[in-house]
Amino acid sequence: MHDNLTSARPSVPPPHGHAVRLRAAAAFKAAAPALGAYAVVRVTGLVVFWVAASLAGKDALKLLGGRWDSVWYQRIAEHGYRYTATLPDGSVHSDLAFFPLLPALERAIAEVTPLTVRGAGITVAWAAGLLAAWGIFAVGARLHGRRTGVVLAALWGAYPTAFVQSMAYTETLFTALAAWALYAVLRDRWIVAGGLCVLAGLTRPSAAALVAALAVTALAVLVREYRAGDRKGLVRRHARMLAGVCLAPLGWLAYVVFVAVREDSPFAYFEVQAAWGNSIDGGRALAAFIVGLPLPAALGLCVALGLLGWLVALCVRQRQPLPVLVYAIAVVVISLIGSGYFGSRPRLMMPAFPLLLPPAVALLRLRTTARTATAVGVLALASAAYGAWTLLGSGPP
């Protein structure tokens, strides 16, 4: 009788915190192959670079965490916004061109751990790389299945300038925030997406692409329902979506306002960027750069740009969801229409991971998993070699 009474009792749901932990554990278990594949690709890149640096007699950690933009972020972390550099041509470069989230994380980690600011920056980059790979997997798995998500994460780790993912730069942190924001939109969790956009807006100016993705998607939803005649209570029905869209640009706007107040000029942020040569010129600087190249190099670059356009067209033909598609295209456009240093443009496009969805799907059409893994391995080795060559060079990525 006691056993019967016990078995008849209604089941008690687990506490909320326990349920959250169970869901998180299940999500991590599902993503583990993608994280493992990404880690193998990036470790391959680091090993190749470490060997090359040792042969060249250079300090690999210093190259990863103490060169180019990473030095500016570390200086902000240590001393705040106060540094400017005057170039021989008289132009002034201010540290206000760099957004605050990465240096804030570097400072916080350095204060509570034995790590230096440089070590903290590298730690943030490596942790953000795993979070980005997880988010990229989540988007790919939702759109085309788990195997596609795994290959997509691995391909992002084998991107030509993926060595930046191991450096104290902001692209990896931004990609992590962007990937999870897009996943949140795909799950109709607009407040979460808006909050992640706020953090992305405190990380890089390219957060404008993410804000555009949310805004265009929300507008399409409203227009579709309005045209369908479902107009009553339209705004109230989508209150969370609209709140997320309104929330999205606040991080970027907050920093622009901060610079304006700091410099006592409403357009100070744009003036700072222009001094760095980062103004928007509609692509004139890119065209001038191509025209100034020797003919073989110019033709090669035109072919590369053609391949980029083909990838974008494949994304459209693949019918990627509107927020994913708008985000990828916006990142590409922002990267191409600026007047900045040409060599940085591939790095600036690295967060546009949806461009890798068509290749990921194509790789899975190979007959066996071994062939897919071999193809990814070849790309990883090529990326590693290019990364080592670039990091051991003199110019910034």
Side-chain angles (χ1 to χ4, degrees):
M1 179 66 71
H2 176 74
D3 291 340
N4 290 337
L5 287 174
T6 302
S7 61
R9 289 172 184 166
S11 60
V12 179
H16 177 70
H18 181 64
V20 170
R21 287 193 294 272
L22 288 176
R23 287 197 296 269
F28 178 79
K29 183 178 179 180
L35 297 178
Y38 172 79
V40 168
V41 171
R42 292 308 318 132
V43 168
T44 300
L46 286 171
V47 169
V48 170
F49 165 61
W50 218 282
V51 171
S54 298
L55 293 175
K58 296 185 178 181
D59 185 340
L61 273 178
K62 184 176 181 180
L63 293 175
L64 289 175
R67 297 182 78 190
W68 304 311
D69 290 4
S70 59
V71 175
W72 288 84
Y73 287 115
Q74 289 160 28
R75 192 182 289 116
I76 295 168
E78 292 172 339
H79 307 293
Y81 286 100
R82 63 174 67 180
Y83 182 79
T84 58
T86 303
L87 274 61
D89 62 2
S91 60
V92 177
H93 287 187
S94 168
D95 58 8
L96 290 169
F98 298 91
F99 280 58
L101 185 57
L102 176 59
L105 292 174
E106 289 176 334
R107 180 171 187 139
I109 292 173
E111 287 183 348
V112 300
T113 69
L115 292 172
T116 63
V117 169
R118 178 187 299 174
I122 295 175
T123 299
V124 170
W126 292 6
L130 290 172
L131 287 173
W134 191 348
I136 290 168
F137 161 78
V139 172
R142 186 167 182 85
L143 299 183
H144 294 284
R146 288 178 57 188
R147 294 178 69 232
T148 300
V150 172
V151 175
L152 182 62
L155 284 180
W156 187 69
Y159 183 83
T161 58
F163 60 89
V164 177
Q165 296 171 21
S166 301
M167 300 177 67
Y169 269 52
T170 56
E171 278 77 12
T172 310
L173 178 59
F174 173 77
T175 305
L177 295 167
W180 284 109
L182 291 174
Y183 181 71
V185 172
L186 295 176
R187 295 284 305 274
D188 204 29
R189 296 180 177 177
W190 286 86
I191 302 296
V192 173
L196 290 170
C197 283
V198 171
L199 295 176
L202 293 171
T203 306
R204 291 193 56 77
S206 47
L210 199 54
V211 174
L214 268 66
V216 171
T217 303
L219 180 62
V221 170
L222 295 176
V223 170
R224 182 175 65 247
E225 294 193 11
Y226 184 85
R227 287 181 174 178
D230 194 8
R231 303 172 184 176
K232 186 176 181 180
L234 182 62
V235 172
R236 185 177 65 253
R237 193 163 60 247
H238 293 290
R240 294 180 67 83
M241 179 182 75
L242 295 173
V245 172
C246 292
L247 188 63
L250 295 185
W252 183 86
L253 288 173
Y255 186 66
V256 170
V257 171
F258 165 78
V259 177
V261 172
R262 176 74 174 262
E263 299 297 292
D264 196 25
S265 169
F267 303 107
Y269 169 76
F270 304 99
E271 294 164 358
V272 167
Q273 292 289 358
W276 276 83
N278 291 331
S279 58
I280 300 298
D281 68 359
R284 289 194 300 273
L286 175 60
F289 179 81
I290 295 174
V291 170
L293 290 174
L295 183 60
L299 290 176
L301 183 53
C302 288
V303 169
L305 290 173
L307 289 174
L308 176 63
W310 180 55
L311 268 181
V312 172
L314 288 178
C315 291
V316 175
R317 289 178 57 187
Q318 200 177 39
R319 296 185 178 181
Q320 292 182 5
L322 189 59
V324 176
L325 187 62
V326 170
Y327 166 74
I329 293 175
V331 170
V332 171
V333 169
I334 290 171
S335 302
L336 294 180
I337 64 174
S339 60
Y341 173 59
F342 176 80
S344 296
R345 295 176 194 247
R347 168 174 63 86
L348 299 179
M349 279 187 275
M350 188 173 65
F353 68 88
L355 294 178
L356 300 174
L357 262 172
V361 172
L363 282 174
L364 284 172
R365 295 196 184 108
L366 299 177
R367 292 186 178 181
T368 64
T369 301
R371 290 184 178 181
T372 301
T374 300
V376 173
V378 169
L379 293 173
L381 288 173
S383 173
Y386 176 72
W389 176 78
T390 303
L391 281 169
L392 292 173
S394 58

